[in-house]
Amino acid sequence: MIAIEHKAHCVLATVAGEFTLADYREFEENVLYELRFHGKPNLLLDLTEMLGYTLDVVWEEIRFTREHATDFGCIAIVTTDQWTTWATWLARLFVESEVQVFENGRQAEAWLLENTPVPG
C-alpha cells in the first residue's frame, strides 16, 4: 500500500506492507504530474513500514529511473534497513540527483524543503 502527498514541489510517498507494481505506478503518475506542471520535483520515499516488494517493482524502478534520470530534484529515502540503504546508494548511479538516506521522515522532509527551488 502506498500513500502519496504533494507538498511544496515535493512528492512524498509512504509505503506500508508489500510494495507492489500498482503502488509504484501510482507513484510514477504523481511524479510525472509534478514534473509536467511544476518542473523537477523533489522526492521522498518512506520505506520504514515496507515489508517487502515484488520483483516487477525492481524492474519498473530501473526503467523509470533510467528514462527520467535528469528529471528529479533531490531524492530522500527513509529506511532503517541496510539492504535498502545499499540498494539506494547503488541506484544513485542512474540519476543525476542528490540522494540522501535518512532514518527519520521529519529530517528527510526538512532536507527536501530546504532544497526546494524557489519559483520566480
Side-chain angles (χ1 to χ4, degrees):
M1 179 176 122
I2 192 166
I4 298 174
E5 177 184 359
H6 292 254
K7 185 184 225 180
H9 196 53
C10 298
V11 177
L12 313 173
T14 302
V15 177
E18 185 175 58
F19 196 11
T20 66
L21 183 58
D23 295 331
Y24 193 82
R25 288 204 170 133
E26 182 179 345
F27 173 71
E28 287 177 340
E29 289 172 14
N30 280 270
V31 170
L32 292 174
Y33 174 88
E34 192 70 32
L35 179 63
R36 181 174 181 189
F37 293 104
H38 302 109
K40 291 183 178 185
N42 287 343
L43 308 177
L44 184 148
L45 272 169
D46 185 339
L47 306 176
T48 55
E49 295 182 33
M50 181 179 74
L51 298 177
Y53 49 88
T54 59
L55 185 56
D56 50 0
V57 169
V58 175
W59 292 118
E60 183 64 15
E61 191 274 334
I62 291 169
R63 183 203 63 78
F64 184 74
T65 302
R66 290 185 71 185
E67 187 175 317
H68 297 281
T70 62
D71 293 341
F72 314 124
C74 295
I75 301 172
I77 307 294
V78 182
T79 185
T80 56
D81 179 76
Q82 290 302 319
W83 286 107
T84 304
T85 300
W86 180 83
T88 298
W89 292 119
L90 184 61
R92 293 174 65 191
L93 300 173
F94 300 107
V95 295
E96 295 181 20
S97 301
E98 184 174 357
V99 179
Q100 293 286 335
V101 176
F102 297 86
E103 292 186 5
N104 178 290
R106 284 188 291 267
Q107 291 173 341
E109 188 174 337
W111 177 74
L112 285 182
L113 292 174
E114 288 172 8
N115 288 290
T116 299
V118 177

